Amino acid sequence: MLTFRRAFVAAALLLTIFYLSTTRSTPPMATPPVQLPQTFPKTQPPPDSSRQASTTAVSSDQKASSASPIRHGSPGVERPSRSGQHTMQDMSKLSLYDKLAYQFPYDVETKFPAYIWQTWKWTPAHGEFQFREQEASWTEQHPGFIHEVITDQVAVNLLRLLYASVPEVLEAYEALPLPVLKADFFRYLILLARGGIYSDIDTYALQSALEWIPKSVPRSAVGLVIGIEADPDRPDWKDWYSRRIQFCQWTIQSKPGHPVLREIVSRITDQTLKRKRAGSLRGVVDKNVIEFTGPALWTDIIFEYFNDNRYFDMKHSAGPIDFQNFTGMDMAKRVGDVIVLPITSFSPGVQQMGAKEYDDPMAFVKHDFEGTWKPESERHIGA
């Protein structure tokens, strides 16, 4: 017979069993840890003047059918620690270069982000957007990629978000007096912060970026892919070009935080603010752009990187890397974590300097040379 006392005991027992079962099956709620920026490197100390990574040098004239290496190794690999968090640094005491290294750490072993960045006055949805075929080619060749055409106003707001902790960069960007200067600066800034591919709006993607890196080179060993713009092998080359070998910056692929991007952002920021303080910034005109933010500066910084003992063991190198390592090349070459593509890759069909046609296997990007950075009245004239 079920008495009140027995019923009470049974009810208490059932409640106890129910409580134990629920507490064992449902973990307690925990406050998620705060993720702080980490700069513990894989092979080198945090950013400072003593950075150096060991690599193995090989002869500069070594050639191969895929990507002949000029210098092996993973220079400047900076990888977040997987063992713990790094103490927050006082960024006010860091140089601009080191602030950028702290804010955007570089890990060569990560994947290339699936972003395609382009800039123009209007988005493809606007009635006056006139690069539909070019823009569509990038989407068609890269299904699954995030493809953004960034307008001037969106660029400003995006950079304010990404570089809020480095206000001098924002000050420099907003101080630049010409749209072309801002367009140049933006490509470096977006790739430094987010990585992916930047390409000018007047370019066609002929092949997927998945084909740009030779199959013989692990993608986990590459952080930057660049192409040759000019290889003027003629005595009067200085009358036509700014550098004997010039790397193009209308198309670049990078992983976030790459040291080359970090250096060019630092250089442009420092020079812009210096000129602003001196009141000479307005004196920058179109003909100065190539040296200030354009391919001449880009080329100089890449060559500096290739010969920087912070990243390469120069004592055991076969010699400095200069234009002679790249002139006349028709296949990709690897220098540390950088793939250099021949002129055909980003400038096919130009009918000079050894560039081959659009149907060549090494032709990846077609550039229409519309001179989109110029005023409307100057378009198609020496673009």
Side-chain angles (χ1 to χ4, degrees):
M1 180 177 179
L2 185 63
T3 64
F4 173 80
R5 183 175 181 179
R6 290 179 178 177
F8 179 83
V9 172
L13 180 61
L14 288 173
L15 287 173
T16 302
I17 293 172
F18 177 77
Y19 173 78
L20 292 175
S21 65
T22 56
T23 55
R24 288 176 181 174
S25 62
T26 304
M29 295 296 291
T31 303
V34 177
Q35 297 296 324
L36 300 178
Q38 299 173 335
T39 56
F40 288 106
K42 181 181 179 183
T43 60
Q44 66 177 43
D48 60 32
S49 59
S50 63
R51 289 185 300 267
Q52 180 152 351
S54 176
T55 61
T56 302
V58 299
S59 173
S60 62
D61 60 359
Q62 183 178 4
K63 294 183 179 179
S65 60
S66 54
S68 55
I70 298 177
R71 288 201 178 109
H72 284 298
S74 299
V77 177
E78 299 161 8
R79 189 175 179 185
S81 170
R82 308 203 188 277
S83 61
Q85 295 181 346
H86 184 57
T87 304
M88 182 80 73
Q89 293 189 31
D90 180 2
M91 293 184 63
S92 66
K93 298 180 180 179
L94 300 178
S95 68
L96 176 57
Y97 183 94
D98 290 346
K99 287 180 185 178
L100 295 171
Y102 183 78
Q103 190 67 23
F104 307 112
Y106 174 52
D107 181 358
V108 72
E109 294 186 5
T110 61
K111 294 182 179 179
F112 279 97
Y115 295 130
I116 298 170
W117 307 100
Q118 297 185 291
T119 57
W120 190 233
K121 301 173 185 177
W122 304 288
T123 67
H126 195 283
E128 297 192 45
F129 184 81
Q130 67 266 49
F131 297 100
R132 298 187 186 282
E133 290 185 8
Q134 293 94 323
E135 186 268 341
S137 72
W138 286 96
T139 299
E140 291 166 1
Q141 290 287 350
H142 301 87
F145 278 56
I146 297 174
H147 184 185
E148 296 287 349
V149 177
I150 307 294
T151 63
D152 293 345
Q153 189 56 50
V154 171
V156 171
N157 292 326
L158 180 58
L159 294 179
R160 286 173 180 169
L161 174 66
L162 296 174
Y163 288 86
S165 62
V166 198
E168 53 265 59
V169 171
L170 297 176
E171 181 185 357
Y173 178 82
E174 295 177 1
L176 290 171
L178 299 174
V180 62
L181 297 173
K182 290 186 175 181
D184 280 344
F185 201 19
F186 178 84
R187 70 194 66 192
Y188 309 134
L189 291 169
I190 195 64
L191 290 176
L192 175 63
R194 287 293 179 262
I197 298 167
Y198 171 86
S199 194
D200 280 357
I201 198 66
D202 58 347
T203 60
Y204 290 85
L206 302 179
Q207 297 189 54
S208 169
L210 299 177
E211 305 299 324
W212 296 2
I213 298 176
K215 297 293 190 294
S216 61
V217 180
R219 298 180 71 85
S220 61
V222 177
L224 183 67
V225 181
I226 57 176
I228 291 178
E229 174 183 3
D231 182 11
D233 187 10
R234 47 191 291 176
D236 62 343
W237 67 266
K238 290 184 179 180
D239 296 336
W240 304 92
Y241 300 94
S242 63
R243 300 294 184 271
R244 174 58 182 81
I245 281 285
Q246 187 165 290
F247 299 115
C248 79
Q249 36 89 278
W250 63 70
T251 301
I252 306 167
Q253 184 181 29
S254 178
K255 293 176 181 177
H258 194 278
V260 167
L261 293 165
R262 187 189 305 158
E263 180 62 36
I264 198 167
V265 167
S266 299
R267 195 84 58 89
I268 292 173
T269 299
D270 289 340
Q271 286 300 311
T272 300
L273 296 182
K274 181 179 179 180
R275 294 189 184 203
K276 179 183 177 182
R277 308 288 188 258
S280 62
L281 196 54
R282 292 292 170 182
V284 179
V285 294
D286 287 346
K287 66 180 181 180
N288 305 135
V289 169
I290 192 171
E291 299 284 346
F292 192 7
T293 61
L297 177 66
W298 175 242
T299 298
D300 290 348
I301 287 176
I302 290 170
F303 274 117
E304 288 173 14
Y305 178 69
F306 290 161
N307 294 282
D308 193 332
N309 60 15
R310 294 178 298 176
Y311 303 106
F312 297 94
D313 183 3
M314 302 299 295
K315 293 181 179 178
H316 299 90
S317 172
I321 292 177
D322 57 21
F323 76 90
Q324 298 179 73
N325 298 99
F326 304 104
T327 186
M329 59 183 277
D330 56 9
M331 299 298 291
K333 287 190 176 184
R334 176 185 174 190
V335 186
D337 63 344
V338 180
I339 291 292
V340 180
L341 298 172
I343 193 169
T344 298
S345 294
F346 293 163
S347 300
V350 296
Q351 305 295 318
Q352 58 179 324
M353 295 180 286
K356 300 176 183 178
E357 294 303 317
Y358 301 117
D359 59 353
D360 189 87
M362 290 298 294
F364 300 140
V365 176
K366 174 188 174 185
H367 191 197
D368 274 352
F369 298 100
E370 292 282 348
T372 52
W373 54 272
K374 297 180 179 180
E376 293 288 345
S377 60
E378 299 180 22
R379 297 279 176 81
H380 308 287
I381 302 175

